[in-house]
Every structure is written in structure tokens, then in C-alpha cells.
Amino acid sequence: MIKLDNNLQTTHLSAANIFILTEWDPTQHSFSNDIIRFIESKSETKSDELIEVLILDQYTALYFCSNDKDNNRRIEKCRRAGDKIQQKVLELKIKTTIIHSTSLLKNETLAFAEGIMLGAYQFIPFQSDKTKKQHPLETIIIQNVAIGQTETEKLSNTIKSVYLCRDLVNLPVNHLNTVKLADRLTEMAKACGLGIEILNKKQIESLRMGGLLTVNYGSVDPPVFIILEFKPKHSMNKQPIVLVGKGITYDTGGLNLKTGNFMDDMKLDMGGAAAVATSLQNIALNNIPLHVIALIPATDNRPNGNAMVSGDVITMFDGTTVEVLNTDAEGRLILADALAWAKQYNPMLVIDMATLTGAAARAIGSHGIVAMQQNASQFLEMLKQAGDQTNEKIAEFPFWEDYDNQIKSEIADLKNIGGVEAGAITAGKFLAHFTNYPYIHLDIAGPVFLNKRDSYRCSGATGVGVRILSRMAELLAQ
Ligand code: BES
Ligand code: ZN
Ligand code: ZN
């Protein structure tokens, strides 16, 4: 929990005091001369430097803010320093930390708290001895008169949403199939005042959503199509923003079965769905005056007697025919139906978020999100800004017409693979076929899940997408 308390006496209150400084003024702190000498000897440059002092059982850290002129980079350094403190807090079993900023740095202080909280995430539902593993940190108290209650609440909401996103992605499919995903999102929607509608298999059949139905043929669980809506009274937009998330609860590849260890992490394949749903939660909790709709087509992708085969020709929701030439390119099939469905809202902008291609991950690794746009260049500029501010950075790929030929089929309107070259782009091109509005495609295959811990992004699900989309919503509402 993050609290604000500017009436506390800073020193000797908690087992972990953190001072965020731009300048070092020893007279401001009640340290002994020995400690002051120690601090001064430790740091020459005092830029992005964390100095830790343990006095009896009182843990104190001084963080000298980076003097990097680039705002976003400086803030990111604060998040990462926050995670370092979090690791110490874990080691020393500290329950409360106080963050005190002598120079009243607002964004830096909040970023520090953000780094602590995001880094403190744990996924322990399957540990037998949970109490032993539980993170000790209960409260972060922020002392900074430049920061108000609304800002700390907003940060708490965002952390809550990222945590939920990570939980949903980390849960394996035997604990979170389509039905349970729908239940969890219903629970979430009720708690934060979102509208929710869940189309069941019968409805999806009568709507003839051929992409979603075909991918689902090999599954024992039914498909679901989830519609979430946040419609505040005084929204800034007449036409809604629509977010679409890929909800493959597990991707075996289907009959084009994934080989080696390529299947191991494929519970991550609903990372887009989790991100758009929890972004809506965050937008609702923070009451951002924007009309936003989220669409989540969900199923797993498995081989079975009834599963789609390579060579099948299917008819999509909008009537487009598609030759399936690889059952592992399933994400685009379910997303296409949702993108075509989105036309009825006459949207101002549609953004899809999907763990769509290994090619995107190979191209830029886990450090950013691959993006393409059609008739939405200004919106993408805004999204890049949101990405830089949250460090969920955007790398824009070309989206030239030249690629269109790669997904043309000999016997149908489209085929679902585009050859070895430019795999992330041809996947995007396939999706764009089903749109007639300003459109941004985001491929999060790289950053969605980490096998090795990276600071506050943790290991396993990172919750990528929630912070950039929430920030984008704020920018759009301004
Ligand atoms: N879910 C995968 C993409 C993926 C791979 C996400 C690795 C995260 C990490 C997707 O459904 C897939 O299998 N894509 C294929 C497409 C190919 C058959 C055209 C791929 O990328 O290999
Ligand atoms: Zn696949
Ligand atoms: Zn997939």
C-alpha cells in the first residue's frame, strides 16, 4: 500500500528510510559524523548512486538522483533504483519504508515508489508455504509536499492493474482456461464499474466468427468473446477508443505443433488480452474521462481430431476467406474477427495488443513493443510518447503496401502466413485487412514474459502494456 504522510518525522520512524536527493546537505540529516564521512567517501559523482547505511537495525538509503537531462531516462533510473531497495527490503524483512525527497522531486519520488512496488510482485499461489515466501513490505509512506493524495492513489491503482495483468498471464491454462478468464474479468469489471458482455459459443456461432471458431475446433473448452466498456458521463471523445487483445489461453501451435521448448511459456499467449482488460480497469479506477471499449476473443490452440488443418479454407466474420497454411499462425485468425467486429462502433482509434510473432521478438528482443500503423500516424506519435514516459517503448516497423502481396492466396482472399521475410509485418498486414479506421497494431511477443529477472519487470509475466495504454488514455483525454 502506498500512503502519503507529510507530518511524519523522517528519521528513526521506520526500518527503511529512503532519501531521494539531488544535492547532499549533511546538515539536513541527523547522521553522526562517521556516517557523514562514510557517505561522502562512497560517492564522488553522486549521480544515479544508491548509498546504503545500516545503523543498528535501521536501514537507510540515500539515492542521488541522476543528473541525466533526459526526463524519461532519469525517471527510469529511479524505478530501477527503487527495485534495488525493494530487494534489500525483502532480504531484511522490512514492513514499512518511508520515501523522503529533500528536493521535492515529484515524478522521481513516484517513480521510486513505482519501482519498489512493481519489483515486489510475487506469483506464489502454487507455493505450499505461502507465508514463508510472502514479501514483507506492507506500506510505503511517501513524504513529499509536492505530491497529493490523487497521485499516490493513481499509482496504487496502476500497480494493482499491473499485478492483475501479471497474475492472469502467469496462471497456467489448467488454472485459467477461457471460462475462468471470463469469470475473472467479470469479477474485475463488477468491482471497478466496467460494463461487461460475454458472448458464448452459441452466440459466436450464430455471428459466424469463423476465425475464432476455427482456432477453437481442437479445444475442449468453449471460445468466448469478451466485451468490456468504460463509458464515463463526461468523456472527452464522441467516438470510442477500442482496444483489442489476443486471448489465446495456450498456444500449442495446433497440428503445426510447436517443437523443442518453444511451447513451454505459451500460457503467455493471452498477454494482450490481460493487458487490455487490466488497462480498462486502471482507466476506470483512475476515472480517466475517455470512452474505451476492450474486445477479447479467447480460446486455446490445440491439436485434436477436429482441429483445423493446413490447407483449410475458412470464412471470417466479415466474409473474407482465408487459406490456413500454418495452424500456429492462429492469433491473427481470432483477432481478425474482433477487428471486423470493432467497425460497428465507428471508433476514433483501434489499438490491438498481441503476442503475435516470434519474428517481432527476434527483431528487437524484450526491450520494447513492435508497432505498425495505418491512418493513425499522429496517434502513434502520442503512443510513442506514452511509451517513453513509462519505459514500455515503441519501435515502429514499416507498413508499406509492398508487403501486401505476401499474404495473397491462390485460392482464397488471404493466407495466414506471409513467408520467411518480415514475419511481424505480414502478420500486421493480415490484421489491417479487417480494419477501416485509424489503426495501430502492437506486437508484444518480446517483452511480455521474461525467463530471467530484469529489475522491476521481474521474471515471468511483466505486465507490459498496462502502463503505456493507461498513459495513452490520459494523453488522449487531455
Ligand atoms: N504465440 C505465437 C508467437 C510467439 C512466439 C509469442 C514466441 C511469444 C513468444 C504465435 O501464435 C506464433 O506461433 N506465431 C508463429 C507465426 C508463424 C507460424 C507464421 C511464429 O512466430 O513462429
Ligand atoms: Zn501460434
Ligand atoms: Zn499464438
Side-chain angles (χ1 to χ4, degrees):
M1 185 164 71
I2 304 166
K3 284 203 294 201
L4 190 69
D5 196 338
N6 286 317
N7 296 319
L8 284 174
Q9 289 292 311
T10 314
T11 38
H12 303 111
L13 253 171
S14 115
N17 288 323
I18 299 145
F19 297 91
I20 300 179
L21 313 168
T22 41
E23 273 164 45
W24 169 230
D25 178 0
T27 60
Q28 278 207 25
H29 308 286
S30 50
F31 295 131
S32 71
N33 286 340
D34 285 351
I35 288 173
I36 289 173
R37 266 197 298 280
F38 168 76
I39 291 167
E40 289 187 326
S41 73
K42 275 285 261 190
S43 174
E44 288 272 280
T45 58
K46 296 195 178 71
S47 172
D48 187 31
E49 193 102 28
L50 196 65
I51 297 173
E52 297 169 303
V53 198
L54 201 57
I55 314 161
L56 298 174
D57 62 348
Q58 178 85 39
Y59 173 83
T60 295
L62 290 92
Y63 177 66
F64 290 93
C65 233
S66 155
N67 49 25
D68 197 324
K69 292 272 182 299
D70 182 312
N71 263 331
N72 297 327
R73 258 192 337 234
R74 197 173 62 251
I75 295 295
E76 174 63 5
K77 283 175 181 160
C78 289
R79 289 190 196 101
R80 287 180 179 256
D83 176 67
K84 278 194 189 151
I85 292 284
Q86 172 280 129
Q87 289 180 44
K88 210 52 180 217
V89 163
L90 179 63
E91 187 188 308
L92 299 173
K93 298 197 167 53
I94 291 167
K95 285 189 179 167
T96 308
T97 70
I98 298 177
I99 306 178
H100 179 85
S101 166
T102 48
S103 3
L104 298 183
L105 299 166
K106 187 169 156 179
N107 293 335
E108 284 80 351
T109 306
L110 288 168
F112 212 92
E114 187 178 33
I116 295 177
M117 293 297 288
L118 288 177
Y121 171 82
Q122 294 173 302
F123 183 68
I124 52 171
F126 305 123
Q127 303 278 357
S128 316
D129 194 350
K130 288 192 201 33
T131 44
K132 224 176 177 177
K133 299 266 175 166
Q134 202 113 41
H135 201 289
L137 185 63
E138 288 168 359
T139 314
I140 295 177
I141 298 168
I142 294 179
Q143 260 194 311
N144 183 334
V145 289
I147 294 170
Q149 199 75 40
T150 38
E151 278 140 331
T152 52
E153 274 170 19
K154 189 177 128 198
L155 179 57
S156 294
N157 290 335
T158 301
I159 304 294
K160 183 178 166 179
S161 303
V162 174
Y163 272 34
L164 177 58
C165 180
R166 287 177 180 176
D167 281 349
L168 293 172
V169 176
N170 280 328
L171 280 166
V173 65
N174 67 330
H175 289 267
L176 193 83
N177 61 9
T178 50
V179 177
K180 284 181 183 150
L181 175 67
D183 289 347
R184 283 293 291 267
L185 294 188
T186 304
E187 207 180 289
M188 176 206 86
K190 290 216 168 106
C192 68
L194 291 173
I196 184 163
E197 189 183 353
I198 295 166
L199 306 181
N200 62 25
K201 186 173 178 176
K202 269 222 169 82
Q203 293 165 300
I204 296 166
E205 279 170 346
S206 59
L207 287 163
R208 296 169 187 266
M209 290 190 168
L212 179 55
L213 288 168
T214 301
V215 176
N216 184 251
Y217 281 155
S219 178
V220 287
D221 297 319
V224 290
F225 189 91
I226 304 167
I227 304 164
L228 292 159
E229 182 166 21
F230 181 58
K231 195 172 184 188
K233 270 211 182 89
H234 304 288
S235 59
M236 304 290 288
N237 52 333
K238 284 217 173 70
Q239 296 167 268
I241 306 291
V242 179
L243 306 177
V244 179
K246 173 177 172 182
I248 294 289
T249 51
Y250 196 82
D251 185 10
T252 68
L255 282 168
N256 291 105
L257 200 65
K258 288 184 184 291
T259 53
N261 57 6
F262 285 111
M263 206 191 292
D264 292 358
D265 298 331
M266 281 303 143
K267 63 179 184 181
L268 63 73
D269 218 15
M270 34 67 73
V276 301
T278 55
S279 294
L280 241 73
Q281 168 183 267
N282 198 27
I283 289 165
L285 290 173
N286 289 326
N287 236 313
I288 298 172
L290 202 69
H291 182 195
V292 194
I293 294 167
L295 304 177
I296 297 170
T299 174
D300 55 4
N301 180 28
R302 285 181 201 250
N304 155 325
N306 201 32
M308 60 174 163
V309 297
S310 206
D312 275 352
V313 175
I314 64 174
T315 304
M316 310 294 278
F317 172 66
D318 74 346
T320 301
T321 55
V322 174
E323 184 183 12
V324 176
L325 286 176
N326 192 317
T327 63
D328 199 9
E330 82 299 338
R332 63 198 77 181
L333 299 177
I334 68 166
L335 288 167
D337 283 346
L339 291 169
W341 174 268
K343 291 178 187 171
Q344 67 187 277
Y345 302 110
N346 183 25
M348 171 180 165
L349 167 70
V350 176
I351 304 177
D352 84 72
M353 189 164 265
T355 47
L356 204 62
T357 63
R362 279 192 297 279
I364 67 162
S366 71
H367 302 292
I369 300 170
V370 166
M372 286 142 245
Q373 62 83 20
Q374 189 163 283
N375 302 323
S377 58
Q378 290 195 341
F379 287 125
L380 187 56
E381 287 314 308
M382 194 183 261
L383 195 66
K384 283 178 189 168
Q385 197 186 327
D388 290 340
Q389 289 170 352
T390 52
N391 204 48
E392 297 191 332
K393 296 189 287 291
I394 294 279
E396 184 179 1
F397 276 20
F399 217 34
W400 303 312
E401 283 175 11
D402 310 57
Y403 298 104
D404 289 338
N405 277 334
Q406 278 175 252
I407 52 165
K408 283 198 180 130
S409 161
E410 295 275 324
I411 63 162
D413 299 332
L414 296 177
K415 57 183 177 184
N416 78 330
I417 50 167
V420 286
E421 285 176 358
I425 299 171
T426 53
K429 279 290 177 188
F430 182 93
L431 298 178
H433 173 90
F434 298 87
T435 69
N436 68 352
Y437 36 67
Y439 171 56
I440 295 176
H441 163 54
L442 300 177
D443 194 329
I444 55 167
V448 70
F449 197 89
L450 304 176
N451 284 306
K452 191 167 157 271
R453 191 175 196 277
D454 173 38
S455 183
Y456 66 87
R457 294 203 294 161
C458 296
S459 61
T462 59
V464 69
V466 182
R467 294 185 307 117
I468 185 178
L469 289 178
S470 304
R471 181 68 193 138
M472 176 69 175
E474 267 179 355
L475 293 176
L476 282 165
Q478 269 171 20

